């Protein structure tokens, strides 16, 4: 893999510390998931976040919670209604989801994965708290790698191919240009077709240029790019384009979820800026 690809993957990491603190602030994570850098970054950005809310009606934490809680709801549905007992969360960062769901569902096997440095940190965190066990594990992965020790094939090699599986990515895909992330989705779909049933959940910020808050979204995206020392791309021009794009990558059934599904919003309220995509092979 090229050095450029490694940089593209690695620059995401700073945001993992920030979101880890956000989950803790909203009682979705226990204190061990908080890092000093995450607490510091949240404090430094608090005035900026306040200004964005007042001036633009742009609430970054609200966007994060929208996507996180909707993914949680769809995961619960998959476990309780479709019998999913294997979950793989790629680019897990400091997400508390594995801890919460393993505590709630004793039948669940939860595999977290991230770039080697973050995976090592997450593994140590879970080990020190006594949460790492045969059902809840952490492995290294690089989503851009092909035919190496940390590629997708290696990640999925230890799973039960006779059982359904569900894969999650959160806060990942918009850091990559569309051809790059579509390459990952195509490789992922190939792996998922080896299971009797498989599904994939991811958040995605589409290029909603007609949205009344598009300018504010672009402002927020530029800020995220500066904080993570990279760029943040918007993918697809609406829900229909999302469906077509995921189907072209090998997902036969695709649903696009608006976070309003979890909220008692009036019928004429603006759609959310983030989507959660559910693809099945």
């Amino acid at each position: 893999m090229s050095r450029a690809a490694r940089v593209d993957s690695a620059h995401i990491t700073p945001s993992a510390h920030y979101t880890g603190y956000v989950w803790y602030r909203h009682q979705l994570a226990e204190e061990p998931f908080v890092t000093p850098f995450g607490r510091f970054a949240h404090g430094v950005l608090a005035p900026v976040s306040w200004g964005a809310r007042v001036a633009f009606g742009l609430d970054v934490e609200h966007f994060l919670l929208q996507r996180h809680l909707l993914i949680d709801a769809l995961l619960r549905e998959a476990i309780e209604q479709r019998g999913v007992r294997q979950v793989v969360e790629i680019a897990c960062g400091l997400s508390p989801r594995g801890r919460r769901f393993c505590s709630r569902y004793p039948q669940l096997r939860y595999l977290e994965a991230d770039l080697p440095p973050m995976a090592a940190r997450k593994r140590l965190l879970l080990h020190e708290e006594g949460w790492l066990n045969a059902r809840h594990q952490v492995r290294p992965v690089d989503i851009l790698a092909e035919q190496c020790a940390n590629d997708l094939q290696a990640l999925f090699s230890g799973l039960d191919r006779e059982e359904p599986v569900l894969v999650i990515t959160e806060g990942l895909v918009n850091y990559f240009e569309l051809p790059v992330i579509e390459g990952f989705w195509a490789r992922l779909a190939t792996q998922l077709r080896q299971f009797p049933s498989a599904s994939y959940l991811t958040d995605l910020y589409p290029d909603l240029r007609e949205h009344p808050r598009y300018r504010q979204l672009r402002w927020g995206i530029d800020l995220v790019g500066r904080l993570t020392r990279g760029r943040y791309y918007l993918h697809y021009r609406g829900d229909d384009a999302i469906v077509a794009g995921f189907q072209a990558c090998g997902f036969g059934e695709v649903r696009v979820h608006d976070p309003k599904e979890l909220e008692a919003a009036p019928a004429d309220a603006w759609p959310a800026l983030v989507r959660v995509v559910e693809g099945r092979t």
Side-chain angles (χ1 to χ4, degrees), residues 99 123-133 136:
R99 162 66 176 161
R123 189 183 303 108
L124 180 61
L125 184 161
L126 296 176
H127 174 74
E128 289 181 339
E129 298 300 322
W131 299 333
L132 195 68
N133 52 53
H136 189 182

Side-chain angles (χ1 to χ4, degrees), residues 83 86 160-165 191-199 280-281:
Q86 299 185 110
D160 187 344
R161 300 302 172 100
E162 303 300 319
E163 291 283 346
V165 66
Q191 293 298 319
L192 295 185
R193 282 193 287 272
Q194 300 176 43
F195 295 86
S197 67
S199 50
R280 301 185 190 180
T281 55

Side-chain angles (χ1 to χ4, degrees), residues 56 58 63 205-209 211-224 232 234 272-274:
F56 305 134
L58 186 72
F63 293 161
Y205 287 86
D207 192 4
L208 301 176
R209 299 183 187 183
H211 196 285
R213 292 185 177 178
Y214 180 78
R215 288 188 179 182
Q216 293 91 327
L217 176 62
R218 289 299 330 178
W219 177 88
I221 285 168
D222 291 341
L223 176 62
V224 170
Y232 203 77
L234 298 181
L273 291 165
V274 65

Side-chain angles (χ1 to χ4, degrees), residues 143-260:
I143 67 164
L144 304 183
E146 298 183 50
Q147 298 182 338
C148 80
N150 293 335
D151 65 9
L152 289 177
Q153 182 175 347
L155 178 65
F156 285 92
S157 62
L159 297 180
D160 187 344
R161 300 302 172 100
E162 303 300 319
E163 291 283 346
V165 66
L166 183 146
V167 176
I168 296 169
T169 59
E170 181 178 7
L172 172 72
V173 303
N174 288 98
Y175 285 101
F176 298 97
E177 292 182 90
L178 187 57
V180 174
I181 201 64
E182 285 183 332
F184 160 66
W185 288 332
R187 294 192 298 275
L188 177 62
T190 297
Q191 293 298 319
L192 295 185
R193 282 193 287 272
Q194 300 176 43
F195 295 86
S197 67
S199 50
Y200 170 53
L201 298 174
T202 187
D203 65 303
L204 183 148
Y205 287 86
D207 192 4
L208 301 176
R209 299 183 187 183
E210 297 79 16
H211 196 285
R213 292 185 177 178
Y214 180 78
R215 288 188 179 182
Q216 293 91 327
L217 176 62
R218 289 299 330 178
W219 177 88
I221 285 168
D222 291 341
L223 176 62
V224 170
R226 288 193 292 271
L227 293 174
T228 57
R229 304 187 300 274
R231 293 187 62 187
Y232 203 77
Y233 303 90
L234 298 181
H235 301 320
Y236 304 120
R237 290 292 306 275
D239 292 359
D240 291 343
I242 293 172
V243 172
F246 273 74
Q247 288 177 338
C249 291
F251 294 93
E253 180 182 348
V254 182
R255 294 179 61 193
V256 180
H257 299 272
D258 188 314
K260 281 172 44 180

